[in-house]
Amino acid sequence: QVQLVESGGGLVQPGGSLRLSCAASGIVFRMYAMGWYRQAPGKQRELVASITTMGSTNYADSVKGRFTISRDNAKNTVFLQMNSLKPEDTAVYDCNALTGRSGAWSSFGSWGQGTQVTVSS
């Protein structure tokens, strides 16, 4: 059973930066693609960034050029560096292991508690 613990969220002003972390257990981490999702109030959860086992990355158009996903297989952790944050980035951010392939990913495990990101002046 995969377990995911997200951290690093908070309140930040527009234009600011945050770095999210997600520690995974219960899986052979290096064998799974990983993704960061977010869910804003009243909206569906969306995949914003993914990283394959080989380190290939993909981003939603809304975050491309501002967010960077990375992974540390030795620490079973995936990161999301978020720069130039906008109010519309406000959401609960979750990570998950992914199955499928690029462009057709599905989340694999149960969701963690997520981490709240609020972008406001």
Side-chain angles (χ1 to χ4, degrees):
Q1 182 83 3
V2 59
Q3 293 185 324
L4 304 158
V5 180
E6 299 92 348
S7 62
L11 173 64
V12 62
Q13 291 186 341
S17 298
L18 284 173
R19 188 188 193 213
L20 307 184
S21 299
C22 170
S25 60
I27 57 172
V28 182
F29 181 80
R30 68 181 185 278
M31 295 181 67
Y32 285 88
M34 296 295 295
W36 279 99
Y37 292 77
R38 69 184 181 188
Q39 186 168 22
K43 295 188 177 181
Q44 287 190 331
R45 180 181 275 124
E46 62 170 336
L47 178 64
V48 297
S50 61
I51 185 166
T52 69
T53 58
M54 299 300 292
S56 296
T57 59
N58 201 12
Y59 300 91
D61 288 342
S62 58
V63 307
K64 201 170 293 184
R66 301 187 297 121
F67 289 11
T68 303
I69 188 172
S70 61
R71 65 189 298 158
D72 184 339
N73 289 340
K75 296 182 179 180
N76 289 2
T77 300
V78 61
F79 304 98
L80 186 68
Q81 178 67 43
M82 306 187 295
N83 298 329
S84 302
L85 283 162
K86 304 175 181 180
E88 51 263 44
D89 294 319
T90 296
V92 175
Y93 285 72
D94 294 282
C95 69
N96 214 323
L98 302 175
T99 60
R101 57 180 174 81
S102 182
W105 293 120
S106 296
S107 59
F108 173 75
S110 300
W111 297 100
Q113 84 286 354
T115 187
Q116 175 70 46
V117 172
T118 302
V119 185
S120 175
S121 55

